[in-house]
Amino acid sequence: MAGSGIGFVDAGVSGGVWGLTEGYALMVGGTDEDVATVQPFFDALKPDGESGFVHAGPVGAGHFAKMVHNGIEYGLMQAYAEGWELLQAADVVTDVTAVLRSWRSGTVIRSWLLDLLVNAVEQDDDLSELRGYAEDSGEGRWTVQAAVDHAVPLPVITAALFARFGSRQENAPAMKVIAALRNQFGGHAVTSSAGSEQVGADSPGADATAPSGDHDPARGRARGAAGTVSDGGAR
């Protein structure tokens, strides 16, 4: 299309539903010439002040910057969510909403997301009206995939994405495997699908059938005794 005199500029936008009143950011990709051609439009659209607009690089840079922005957003939201849950669980804190509200001025973790969290808990202090289910719109996955492509470690953002996947499982299949294995090697308590708890650690291997009782010369110990190996401790 360049041969026909047609250029391309991409623009990622962040601001959400509050953008009109609170401001938003334009992240633009394209050649210097093409961006300059449409700069008057961006100047008219961008919020007042020095921030709110960036020519991030060539075509695609705008949306890449927006993608990374959203990946960071995943991590920030997960951190606030985990902190809120811990505050809720600890008896020592009696007014969680007031604690969150106190963080909004002057603290290191003040942010727009924190403001929005305060708005949410002021309407529903324990969020009981919501189901603990979170979708993802794709940007988190793309950010993690880009990190794999560039060999960049993203433990926080990746964990935040996977936490959303976990929120969609009412009865996680992988956790069934973990429960089954803990019961097999250590007799740790399991909970049946009906909800009843069976066999505790004080009765190791009581509901496990010993695999074979064969000896493992390489590891120097007998296997299968009472459904466990000789070092069947807690894991």
Side-chain angles (χ1 to χ4, degrees), residues 63-93:
H63 276 91
F64 193 90
K66 163 64 173 173
M67 176 192 74
V68 174
H69 164 282
N70 281 31
I72 293 170
E73 180 184 295
Y74 274 54
L76 290 172
M77 286 194 289
Q78 185 67 26
Y80 282 128
E82 292 174 7
W84 175 82
E85 183 175 2
L86 180 56
L87 288 169
Q88 287 285 101
D91 293 337
V92 69
V93 176

PDB file of all heavy atoms in Angstrom, residues 63-93:
ATOM      1  N   HIS A  63       0.209  -0.604  19.564  1.00  0.00           N
ATOM      2  CA  HIS A  63      -0.572  -1.671  20.167  1.00  0.00           C
ATOM      3  C   HIS A  63       0.288  -2.585  21.027  1.00  0.00           C
ATOM      4  O   HIS A  63      -0.216  -3.183  21.994  1.00  0.00           O
ATOM      5  CB  HIS A  63      -1.304  -2.470  19.081  1.00  0.00           C
ATOM      6  CG  HIS A  63      -2.586  -1.832  18.671  1.00  0.00           C
ATOM      7  ND1 HIS A  63      -2.677  -0.925  17.645  1.00  0.00           N
ATOM      8  CD2 HIS A  63      -3.841  -1.932  19.182  1.00  0.00           C
ATOM      9  CE1 HIS A  63      -3.929  -0.501  17.519  1.00  0.00           C
ATOM     10  NE2 HIS A  63      -4.653  -1.100  18.449  1.00  0.00           N
ATOM     11  N   PHE A  64       1.573  -2.712  20.716  1.00  0.00           N
ATOM     12  CA  PHE A  64       2.444  -3.502  21.587  1.00  0.00           C
ATOM     13  C   PHE A  64       2.563  -2.821  22.949  1.00  0.00           C
ATOM     14  O   PHE A  64       2.495  -3.478  23.997  1.00  0.00           O
ATOM     15  CB  PHE A  64       3.828  -3.677  20.955  1.00  0.00           C
ATOM     16  CG  PHE A  64       4.669  -4.715  21.641  1.00  0.00           C
ATOM     17  CD1 PHE A  64       4.631  -6.043  21.233  1.00  0.00           C
ATOM     18  CD2 PHE A  64       5.501  -4.377  22.701  1.00  0.00           C
ATOM     19  CE1 PHE A  64       5.402  -7.013  21.876  1.00  0.00           C
ATOM     20  CE2 PHE A  64       6.272  -5.333  23.351  1.00  0.00           C
ATOM     21  CZ  PHE A  64       6.222  -6.654  22.931  1.00  0.00           C
ATOM     22  N   ALA A  65       2.733  -1.500  22.937  1.00  0.00           N
ATOM     23  CA  ALA A  65       2.809  -0.755  24.193  1.00  0.00           C
ATOM     24  C   ALA A  65       1.512  -0.892  24.980  1.00  0.00           C
ATOM     25  O   ALA A  65       1.530  -1.055  26.216  1.00  0.00           O
ATOM     26  CB  ALA A  65       3.110   0.716  23.917  1.00  0.00           C
ATOM     27  N   LYS A  66       0.387  -0.840  24.288  1.00  0.00           N
ATOM     28  CA  LYS A  66      -0.908  -1.005  24.948  1.00  0.00           C
ATOM     29  C   LYS A  66      -1.048  -2.413  25.534  1.00  0.00           C
ATOM     30  O   LYS A  66      -1.566  -2.600  26.646  1.00  0.00           O
ATOM     31  CB  LYS A  66      -2.027  -0.733  23.938  1.00  0.00           C
ATOM     32  CG  LYS A  66      -3.409  -1.224  24.321  1.00  0.00           C
ATOM     33  CD  LYS A  66      -3.976  -0.548  25.557  1.00  0.00           C
ATOM     34  CE  LYS A  66      -5.425  -0.985  25.762  1.00  0.00           C
ATOM     35  NZ  LYS A  66      -5.967  -0.494  27.041  1.00  0.00           N
ATOM     36  N   MET A  67      -0.546  -3.410  24.811  1.00  0.00           N
ATOM     37  CA  MET A  67      -0.596  -4.792  25.301  1.00  0.00           C
ATOM     38  C   MET A  67       0.184  -4.939  26.602  1.00  0.00           C
ATOM     39  O   MET A  67      -0.308  -5.525  27.588  1.00  0.00           O
ATOM     40  CB  MET A  67      -0.025  -5.732  24.240  1.00  0.00           C
ATOM     41  CG  MET A  67       0.071  -7.189  24.666  1.00  0.00           C
ATOM     42  SD  MET A  67       1.063  -8.170  23.506  1.00  0.00           S
ATOM     43  CE  MET A  67       2.720  -7.577  23.938  1.00  0.00           C
ATOM     44  N   VAL A  68       1.423  -4.389  26.626  1.00  0.00           N
ATOM     45  CA  VAL A  68       2.240  -4.472  27.836  1.00  0.00           C
ATOM     46  C   VAL A  68       1.566  -3.707  28.982  1.00  0.00           C
ATOM     47  O   VAL A  68       1.565  -4.158  30.135  1.00  0.00           O
ATOM     48  CB  VAL A  68       3.658  -3.943  27.575  1.00  0.00           C
ATOM     49  CG1 VAL A  68       4.463  -3.898  28.867  1.00  0.00           C
ATOM     50  CG2 VAL A  68       4.364  -4.809  26.538  1.00  0.00           C
ATOM     51  N   HIS A  69       0.973  -2.564  28.665  1.00  0.00           N
ATOM     52  CA  HIS A  69       0.205  -1.802  29.663  1.00  0.00           C
ATOM     53  C   HIS A  69      -0.846  -2.693  30.311  1.00  0.00           C
ATOM     54  O   HIS A  69      -0.997  -2.727  31.536  1.00  0.00           O
ATOM     55  CB  HIS A  69      -0.452  -0.602  28.977  1.00  0.00           C
ATOM     56  CG  HIS A  69      -1.555   0.047  29.753  1.00  0.00           C
ATOM     57  ND1 HIS A  69      -2.832  -0.486  29.828  1.00  0.00           N
ATOM     58  CD2 HIS A  69      -1.588   1.184  30.492  1.00  0.00           C
ATOM     59  CE1 HIS A  69      -3.585   0.293  30.564  1.00  0.00           C
ATOM     60  NE2 HIS A  69      -2.859   1.305  30.992  1.00  0.00           N
ATOM     61  N   ASN A  70      -1.579  -3.437  29.499  1.00  0.00           N
ATOM     62  CA  ASN A  70      -2.637  -4.280  30.041  1.00  0.00           C
ATOM     63  C   ASN A  70      -2.078  -5.462  30.822  1.00  0.00           C
ATOM     64  O   ASN A  70      -2.680  -5.914  31.804  1.00  0.00           O
ATOM     65  CB  ASN A  70      -3.547  -4.766  28.917  1.00  0.00           C
ATOM     66  CG  ASN A  70      -4.545  -3.705  28.488  1.00  0.00           C
ATOM     67  OD1 ASN A  70      -4.243  -2.516  28.561  1.00  0.00           O
ATOM     68  ND2 ASN A  70      -5.705  -4.118  28.031  1.00  0.00           N
ATOM     69  N   GLY A  71      -0.895  -5.978  30.414  1.00  0.00           N
ATOM     70  CA  GLY A  71      -0.265  -7.029  31.188  1.00  0.00           C
ATOM     71  C   GLY A  71       0.105  -6.534  32.577  1.00  0.00           C
ATOM     72  O   GLY A  71      -0.108  -7.230  33.577  1.00  0.00           O
ATOM     73  N   ILE A  72       0.662  -5.330  32.650  1.00  0.00           N
ATOM     74  CA  ILE A  72       0.977  -4.727  33.950  1.00  0.00           C
ATOM     75  C   ILE A  72      -0.296  -4.560  34.770  1.00  0.00           C
ATOM     76  O   ILE A  72      -0.312  -4.810  35.991  1.00  0.00           O
ATOM     77  CB  ILE A  72       1.683  -3.376  33.749  1.00  0.00           C
ATOM     78  CG1 ILE A  72       3.058  -3.587  33.113  1.00  0.00           C
ATOM     79  CG2 ILE A  72       1.810  -2.614  35.070  1.00  0.00           C
ATOM     80  CD1 ILE A  72       3.735  -2.310  32.665  1.00  0.00           C
ATOM     81  N   GLU A  73      -1.361  -4.184  34.109  1.00  0.00           N
ATOM     82  CA  GLU A  73      -2.657  -4.026  34.775  1.00  0.00           C
ATOM     83  C   GLU A  73      -3.099  -5.338  35.425  1.00  0.00           C
ATOM     84  O   GLU A  73      -3.618  -5.348  36.546  1.00  0.00           O
ATOM     85  CB  GLU A  73      -3.672  -3.563  33.741  1.00  0.00           C
ATOM     86  CG  GLU A  73      -5.080  -3.346  34.224  1.00  0.00           C
ATOM     87  CD  GLU A  73      -5.992  -2.981  33.058  1.00  0.00           C
ATOM     88  OE1 GLU A  73      -5.793  -1.908  32.443  1.00  0.00           O
ATOM     89  OE2 GLU A  73      -6.896  -3.786  32.735  1.00  0.00           O
ATOM     90  N   TYR A  74      -2.884  -6.467  34.732  1.00  0.00           N
ATOM     91  CA  TYR A  74      -3.223  -7.776  35.299  1.00  0.00           C
ATOM     92  C   TYR A  74      -2.490  -7.979  36.625  1.00  0.00           C
ATOM     93  O   TYR A  74      -3.084  -8.408  37.617  1.00  0.00           O
ATOM     94  CB  TYR A  74      -2.807  -8.894  34.336  1.00  0.00           C
ATOM     95  CG  TYR A  74      -3.809  -9.255  33.267  1.00  0.00           C
ATOM     96  CD1 TYR A  74      -4.338  -8.304  32.414  1.00  0.00           C
ATOM     97  CD2 TYR A  74      -4.211 -10.578  33.089  1.00  0.00           C
ATOM     98  CE1 TYR A  74      -5.233  -8.645  31.427  1.00  0.00           C
ATOM     99  CE2 TYR A  74      -5.105 -10.940  32.104  1.00  0.00           C
ATOM    100  CZ  TYR A  74      -5.625  -9.965  31.267  1.00  0.00           C
ATOM    101  OH  TYR A  74      -6.517 -10.312  30.284  1.00  0.00           O
ATOM    102  N   GLY A  75      -1.177  -7.703  36.618  1.00  0.00           N
ATOM    103  CA  GLY A  75      -0.393  -7.906  37.831  1.00  0.00           C
ATOM    104  C   GLY A  75      -0.821  -7.001  38.969  1.00  0.00           C
ATOM    105  O   GLY A  75      -0.907  -7.427  40.119  1.00  0.00           O
ATOM    106  N   LEU A  76      -1.090  -5.731  38.652  1.00  0.00           N
ATOM    107  CA  LEU A  76      -1.524  -4.788  39.684  1.00  0.00           C
ATOM    108  C   LEU A  76      -2.858  -5.216  40.293  1.00  0.00           C
ATOM    109  O   LEU A  76      -3.030  -5.196  41.516  1.00  0.00           O
ATOM    110  CB  LEU A  76      -1.647  -3.385  39.088  1.00  0.00           C
ATOM    111  CG  LEU A  76      -0.346  -2.677  38.705  1.00  0.00           C
ATOM    112  CD1 LEU A  76      -0.658  -1.383  37.947  1.00  0.00           C
ATOM    113  CD2 LEU A  76       0.481  -2.372  39.941  1.00  0.00           C
ATOM    114  N   MET A  77      -3.793  -5.582  39.444  1.00  0.00           N
ATOM    115  CA  MET A  77      -5.100  -6.007  39.958  1.00  0.00           C
ATOM    116  C   MET A  77      -4.974  -7.243  40.835  1.00  0.00           C
ATOM    117  O   MET A  77      -5.628  -7.344  41.885  1.00  0.00           O
ATOM    118  CB  MET A  77      -6.060  -6.264  38.796  1.00  0.00           C
ATOM    119  CG  MET A  77      -6.560  -5.006  38.127  1.00  0.00           C
ATOM    120  SD  MET A  77      -7.982  -5.297  37.027  1.00  0.00           S
ATOM    121  CE  MET A  77      -7.190  -6.162  35.684  1.00  0.00           C
ATOM    122  N   GLN A  78      -4.132  -8.199  40.425  1.00  0.00           N
ATOM    123  CA  GLN A  78      -3.962  -9.414  41.222  1.00  0.00           C
ATOM    124  C   GLN A  78      -3.366  -9.083  42.582  1.00  0.00           C
ATOM    125  O   GLN A  78      -3.761  -9.651  43.606  1.00  0.00           O
ATOM    126  CB  GLN A  78      -3.087 -10.411  40.466  1.00  0.00           C
ATOM    127  CG  GLN A  78      -2.953 -11.756  41.155  1.00  0.00           C
ATOM    128  CD  GLN A  78      -4.256 -12.531  41.200  1.00  0.00           C
ATOM    129  OE1 GLN A  78      -5.133 -12.337  40.355  1.00  0.00           O
ATOM    130  NE2 GLN A  78      -4.413 -13.396  42.190  1.00  0.00           N
ATOM    131  N   ALA A  79      -2.397  -8.161  42.623  1.00  0.00           N
ATOM    132  CA  ALA A  79      -1.786  -7.781  43.897  1.00  0.00           C
ATOM    133  C   ALA A  79      -2.805  -7.140  44.828  1.00  0.00           C
ATOM    134  O   ALA A  79      -2.867  -7.469  46.025  1.00  0.00           O
ATOM    135  CB  ALA A  79      -0.615  -6.827  43.656  1.00  0.00           C
ATOM    136  N   TYR A  80      -3.616  -6.223  44.314  1.00  0.00           N
ATOM    137  CA  TYR A  80      -4.664  -5.617  45.133  1.00  0.00           C
ATOM    138  C   TYR A  80      -5.659  -6.684  45.611  1.00  0.00           C
ATOM    139  O   TYR A  80      -6.103  -6.665  46.767  1.00  0.00           O
ATOM    140  CB  TYR A  80      -5.411  -4.537  44.353  1.00  0.00           C
ATOM    141  CG  TYR A  80      -4.675  -3.228  44.241  1.00  0.00           C
ATOM    142  CD1 TYR A  80      -4.474  -2.626  43.001  1.00  0.00           C
ATOM    143  CD2 TYR A  80      -4.194  -2.570  45.370  1.00  0.00           C
ATOM    144  CE1 TYR A  80      -3.797  -1.414  42.891  1.00  0.00           C
ATOM    145  CE2 TYR A  80      -3.528  -1.368  45.280  1.00  0.00           C
ATOM    146  CZ  TYR A  80      -3.330  -0.791  44.031  1.00  0.00           C
ATOM    147  OH  TYR A  80      -2.668   0.403  43.929  1.00  0.00           O
ATOM    148  N   ALA A  81      -6.003  -7.607  44.719  1.00  0.00           N
ATOM    149  CA  ALA A  81      -6.976  -8.647  45.069  1.00  0.00           C
ATOM    150  C   ALA A  81      -6.456  -9.534  46.192  1.00  0.00           C
ATOM    151  O   ALA A  81      -7.184  -9.861  47.143  1.00  0.00           O
ATOM    152  CB  ALA A  81      -7.292  -9.496  43.840  1.00  0.00           C
ATOM    153  N   GLU A  82      -5.189  -9.928  46.106  1.00  0.00           N
ATOM    154  CA  GLU A  82      -4.618 -10.794  47.137  1.00  0.00           C
ATOM    155  C   GLU A  82      -4.490 -10.059  48.466  1.00  0.00           C
ATOM    156  O   GLU A  82      -4.749 -10.635  49.533  1.00  0.00           O
ATOM    157  CB  GLU A  82      -3.258 -11.313  46.665  1.00  0.00           C
ATOM    158  CG  GLU A  82      -3.371 -12.281  45.486  1.00  0.00           C
ATOM    159  CD  GLU A  82      -2.019 -12.690  44.931  1.00  0.00           C
ATOM    160  OE1 GLU A  82      -0.983 -12.334  45.544  1.00  0.00           O
ATOM    161  OE2 GLU A  82      -1.992 -13.365  43.883  1.00  0.00           O
ATOM    162  N   GLY A  83      -4.090  -8.791  48.419  1.00  0.00           N
ATOM    163  CA  GLY A  83      -4.003  -8.007  49.642  1.00  0.00           C
ATOM    164  C   GLY A  83      -5.353  -7.847  50.307  1.00  0.00           C
ATOM    165  O   GLY A  83      -5.486  -7.981  51.534  1.00  0.00           O
ATOM    166  N   TRP A  84      -6.377  -7.578  49.504  1.00  0.00           N
ATOM    167  CA  TRP A  84      -7.739  -7.433  50.044  1.00  0.00           C
ATOM    168  C   TRP A  84      -8.199  -8.736  50.689  1.00  0.00           C
ATOM    169  O   TRP A  84      -8.769  -8.731  51.780  1.00  0.00           O
ATOM    170  CB  TRP A  84      -8.700  -7.023  48.921  1.00  0.00           C
ATOM    171  CG  TRP A  84     -10.133  -6.966  49.349  1.00  0.00           C
ATOM    172  CD1 TRP A  84     -10.759  -5.932  49.994  1.00  0.00           C
ATOM    173  CD2 TRP A  84     -11.123  -7.991  49.175  1.00  0.00           C
ATOM    174  NE1 TRP A  84     -12.079  -6.257  50.229  1.00  0.00           N
ATOM    175  CE2 TRP A  84     -12.331  -7.512  49.741  1.00  0.00           C
ATOM    176  CE3 TRP A  84     -11.116  -9.252  48.598  1.00  0.00           C
ATOM    177  CZ2 TRP A  84     -13.501  -8.250  49.725  1.00  0.00           C
ATOM    178  CZ3 TRP A  84     -12.278 -10.002  48.593  1.00  0.00           C
ATOM    179  CH2 TRP A  84     -13.458  -9.490  49.166  1.00  0.00           C
ATOM    180  N   GLU A  85      -7.935  -9.863  50.021  1.00  0.00           N
ATOM    181  CA  GLU A  85      -8.367 -11.147  50.581  1.00  0.00           C
ATOM    182  C   GLU A  85      -7.693 -11.429  51.915  1.00  0.00           C
ATOM    183  O   GLU A  85      -8.327 -11.933  52.859  1.00  0.00           O
ATOM    184  CB  GLU A  85      -8.093 -12.283  49.597  1.00  0.00           C
ATOM    185  CG  GLU A  85      -8.584 -13.633  50.103  1.00  0.00           C
ATOM    186  CD  GLU A  85      -8.442 -14.752  49.102  1.00  0.00           C
ATOM    187  OE1 GLU A  85      -7.924 -14.514  47.992  1.00  0.00           O
ATOM    188  OE2 GLU A  85      -8.850 -15.881  49.444  1.00  0.00           O
ATOM    189  N   LEU A  86      -6.406 -11.112  52.020  1.00  0.00           N
ATOM    190  CA  LEU A  86      -5.699 -11.338  53.279  1.00  0.00           C
ATOM    191  C   LEU A  86      -6.251 -10.446  54.388  1.00  0.00           C
ATOM    192  O   LEU A  86      -6.441 -10.896  55.529  1.00  0.00           O
ATOM    193  CB  LEU A  86      -4.200 -11.090  53.095  1.00  0.00           C
ATOM    194  CG  LEU A  86      -3.323 -11.295  54.333  1.00  0.00           C
ATOM    195  CD1 LEU A  86      -3.489 -12.697  54.912  1.00  0.00           C
ATOM    196  CD2 LEU A  86      -1.861 -11.019  53.995  1.00  0.00           C
ATOM    197  N   LEU A  87      -6.528  -9.192  54.067  1.00  0.00           N
ATOM    198  CA  LEU A  87      -7.130  -8.299  55.055  1.00  0.00           C
ATOM    199  C   LEU A  87      -8.479  -8.834  55.525  1.00  0.00           C
ATOM    200  O   LEU A  87      -8.814  -8.769  56.709  1.00  0.00           O
ATOM    201  CB  LEU A  87      -7.298  -6.899  54.465  1.00  0.00           C
ATOM    202  CG  LEU A  87      -6.024  -6.078  54.252  1.00  0.00           C
ATOM    203  CD1 LEU A  87      -6.337  -4.835  53.422  1.00  0.00           C
ATOM    204  CD2 LEU A  87      -5.402  -5.683  55.583  1.00  0.00           C
ATOM    205  N   GLN A  88      -9.263  -9.349  54.583  1.00  0.00           N
ATOM    206  CA  GLN A  88     -10.577  -9.911  54.926  1.00  0.00           C
ATOM    207  C   GLN A  88     -10.442 -11.130  55.841  1.00  0.00           C
ATOM    208  O   GLN A  88     -11.274 -11.354  56.721  1.00  0.00           O
ATOM    209  CB  GLN A  88     -11.311 -10.318  53.644  1.00  0.00           C
ATOM    210  CG  GLN A  88     -11.833  -9.170  52.799  1.00  0.00           C
ATOM    211  CD  GLN A  88     -13.080  -8.541  53.405  1.00  0.00           C
ATOM    212  OE1 GLN A  88     -13.022  -7.505  54.038  1.00  0.00           O
ATOM    213  NE2 GLN A  88     -14.211  -9.187  53.214  1.00  0.00           N
ATOM    214  N   ALA A  89      -9.392 -11.915  55.619  1.00  0.00           N
ATOM    215  CA  ALA A  89      -9.242 -13.169  56.365  1.00  0.00           C
ATOM    216  C   ALA A  89      -8.689 -12.963  57.773  1.00  0.00           C
ATOM    217  O   ALA A  89      -8.892 -13.805  58.649  1.00  0.00           O
ATOM    218  CB  ALA A  89      -8.336 -14.126  55.589  1.00  0.00           C
ATOM    219  N   ALA A  90      -7.980 -11.856  57.991  1.00  0.00           N
ATOM    220  CA  ALA A  90      -7.329 -11.628  59.279  1.00  0.00           C
ATOM    221  C   ALA A  90      -8.281 -10.944  60.256  1.00  0.00           C
ATOM    222  O   ALA A  90      -8.796  -9.866  59.977  1.00  0.00           O
ATOM    223  CB  ALA A  90      -6.077 -10.760  59.082  1.00  0.00           C
ATOM    224  N   ASP A  91      -8.507 -11.562  61.411  1.00  0.00           N
ATOM    225  CA  ASP A  91      -9.424 -11.004  62.397  1.00  0.00           C
ATOM    226  C   ASP A  91      -8.924  -9.680  62.975  1.00  0.00           C
ATOM    227  O   ASP A  91      -9.707  -8.884  63.485  1.00  0.00           O
ATOM    228  CB  ASP A  91      -9.631 -12.002  63.546  1.00  0.00           C
ATOM    229  CG  ASP A  91     -10.366 -13.250  63.095  1.00  0.00           C
ATOM    230  OD1 ASP A  91     -11.078 -13.179  62.067  1.00  0.00           O
ATOM    231  OD2 ASP A  91     -10.216 -14.293  63.753  1.00  0.00           O
ATOM    232  N   VAL A  92      -7.619  -9.453  62.902  1.00  0.00           N
ATOM    233  CA  VAL A  92      -7.053  -8.258  63.531  1.00  0.00           C
ATOM    234  C   VAL A  92      -7.505  -6.973  62.837  1.00  0.00           C
ATOM    235  O   VAL A  92      -7.538  -5.906  63.457  1.00  0.00           O
ATOM    236  CB  VAL A  92      -5.506  -8.353  63.550  1.00  0.00           C
ATOM    237  CG1 VAL A  92      -4.913  -8.244  62.146  1.00  0.00           C
ATOM    238  CG2 VAL A  92      -4.914  -7.302  64.470  1.00  0.00           C
ATOM    239  N   VAL A  93      -7.879  -7.054  61.571  1.00  0.00           N
ATOM    240  CA  VAL A  93      -8.358  -5.870  60.846  1.00  0.00           C
ATOM    241  C   VAL A  93      -9.880  -5.879  60.870  1.00  0.00           C
ATOM    242  O   VAL A  93     -10.509  -6.818  60.379  1.00  0.00           O
ATOM    243  CB  VAL A  93      -7.848  -5.854  59.389  1.00  0.00           C
ATOM    244  CG1 VAL A  93      -8.427  -4.668  58.629  1.00  0.00           C
ATOM    245  CG2 VAL A  93      -6.331  -5.793  59.370  1.00  0.00           C
TER     246      VAL A  93
END
